[in-house]
Amino acid sequence: MPELPEVEVTRRAFASQIAGARIVSVALGKPLRWPLGIDPGLLAGRQVLGVRRRGKYLLMELSEGMLLLHLGMSGSLRFVAPHEPALGPAGTHDHFDLQTSHGLLRLHDPRRFGAVMYVRGLDDPWARRLLDHLGMEPLEDSFCLTAFREGLLASRTPIKQLLLGGSVVVGVGNIYASEVLFMARIAPTQPAREVGQRKVRRLFEEIRRVLALAVEQGGTTLRDFSAPDGMAGHFQLQARVYGREGLPCTHCGAAVQLIRQGQRSTYFCARCQKI
């Protein structure tokens, strides 16, 4: 599933190219997770003012309204400018084509858990339902150690599952949660409120460092993800524990273990990450 780094890589790859473009047409394929919420023809003529990100949502601001884009489990966006080779007709798994004066933006999503939704703005009920509960942005200056510590102290939930929930900090998806907890030497099953202050600070720092590194590496490509220019991510080559069950821990040499938490795979070193 594309997580915050993959979504941020996606945003950076096309945001500057599409900014200022006029929408020429919108074509829809098979239904996605949620309906578009507007007659596609009504979007023609509107201008793309910019593309921001909130958690794993891309917010495309228009001269009137906004499009919220989510990549779901297997989605990826491609953007092709007029001077580049055309993408060709939409295929079976292409479900949203946004033709603009600056180029074509296409959503490819084999599983169709992604979505493109039109909202009037951030005060729209749909936008509030999807965005209001999200925690702090880890790559922004507003990510605050004090608020992060308070969020952990307020929860008895195992630390890894709290991170995945996104209510304290967004974007620490399954791969990155395993990685940051290993780097901070915190057991994934430890209740969040019981993590000591020193380790909370280290976890805070590792969240920023690991996610920034993942963005720098183009995200993680395990199966479906590719950036809008078609390039795969390389963070998986940097992973210390994720996907390394039975292999030696890169710190102590003990075998990396795999457990299931909330139906998600958790990789960790029992020797390095003691409660």
Side-chain angles (χ1 to χ4, degrees):
M1 173 190 292
E3 300 290 352
L4 184 151
E6 291 76 51
V7 178
E8 180 62 15
V9 167
T10 296
R11 187 195 70 81
R12 294 184 184 185
F14 79 94
S16 62
Q17 296 183 76
I18 203 171
R22 291 281 177 183
I23 296 176
V24 176
S25 63
V26 175
L28 303 179
K30 295 179 181 178
L32 293 168
R33 186 175 184 181
W34 296 304
L36 178 61
I38 189 174
D39 183 336
L42 295 177
L43 294 175
R46 301 190 191 190
Q47 186 177 25
V48 178
L49 303 181
V51 183
R52 297 185 288 124
R53 180 189 52 75
R54 182 69 176 105
K56 294 191 289 184
Y57 290 91
L58 291 173
L59 284 58
M60 182 179 291
E61 297 179 84
L62 307 177
S63 52
E64 181 183 347
M66 175 184 293
L67 291 176
L68 301 183
L69 297 92
H70 195 282
L71 300 181
M73 295 289 292
S74 60
S76 60
L77 289 171
R78 291 292 305 275
F79 182 80
V80 176
H83 64 276
E84 297 174 325
L87 287 176
T92 302
H93 301 307
D94 299 324
H95 308 298
F96 178 80
D97 274 8
L98 184 74
Q99 184 66 60
T100 77
S101 57
H102 290 187
L104 172 66
L105 181 70
R106 172 174 289 173
L107 174 64
H108 178 84
D109 187 0
R111 298 189 189 181
R112 289 193 287 138
F113 284 117
V116 182
M117 297 156 288
Y118 174 80
V119 295
R120 295 188 303 273
L122 293 178
D123 59 346
D124 186 282
W126 256 110
R128 298 200 63 179
R129 174 183 173 183
L130 296 173
L131 304 177
D132 277 4
H133 69 283
L134 298 179
M136 295 179 287
E137 288 285 344
L139 299 180
E140 295 185 0
D141 292 340
S142 57
F143 188 34
C144 170
L145 175 59
T146 300
F148 180 66
R149 182 184 295 119
E150 290 174 352
L152 268 58
L153 286 173
S155 178
R156 295 186 176 88
T157 303
I159 182 64
K160 188 193 176 221
Q161 289 169 280
L162 182 67
L163 293 177
L164 292 183
S167 60
V168 178
V169 58
V170 296
V172 190
N174 198 47
I175 295 171
Y176 304 108
S178 287
E179 292 297 303
V180 298
L181 289 171
F182 171 73
M183 298 303 296
R185 304 296 188 256
I186 299 170
T189 55
Q190 185 167 10
R193 66 186 303 171
E194 296 178 10
V195 179
Q197 287 194 25
R198 182 179 60 82
K199 287 191 174 182
V200 168
R201 175 181 288 276
R202 186 169 181 182
L203 178 59
F204 174 85
E205 294 170 349
E206 289 298 336
I207 288 172
R208 299 194 73 146
R209 187 191 67 80
V210 168
L211 293 183
L213 176 62
V215 172
E216 180 184 316
Q217 295 290 319
T220 299
T221 296
L222 296 179
R223 185 177 303 166
D224 301 298
F225 174 73
S226 63
D229 58 4
M231 297 297 291
H234 299 288
F235 178 80
Q236 66 274 13
L237 303 178
Q238 308 280 337
R240 300 293 188 91
V241 288
Y242 190 86
R244 301 188 71 250
E245 179 190 8
L247 296 176
C249 168
T250 56
H251 179 72
C252 74
V256 172
Q257 296 185 23
L258 169 65
I259 60 172
R260 303 287 289 184
Q261 288 182 281
Q263 299 182 341
R264 306 298 298 277
S265 298
T266 296
Y267 296 87
F268 71 108
C269 174
R271 183 182 296 172
C272 291
Q273 296 171 260
K274 294 179 180 178
I275 294 179

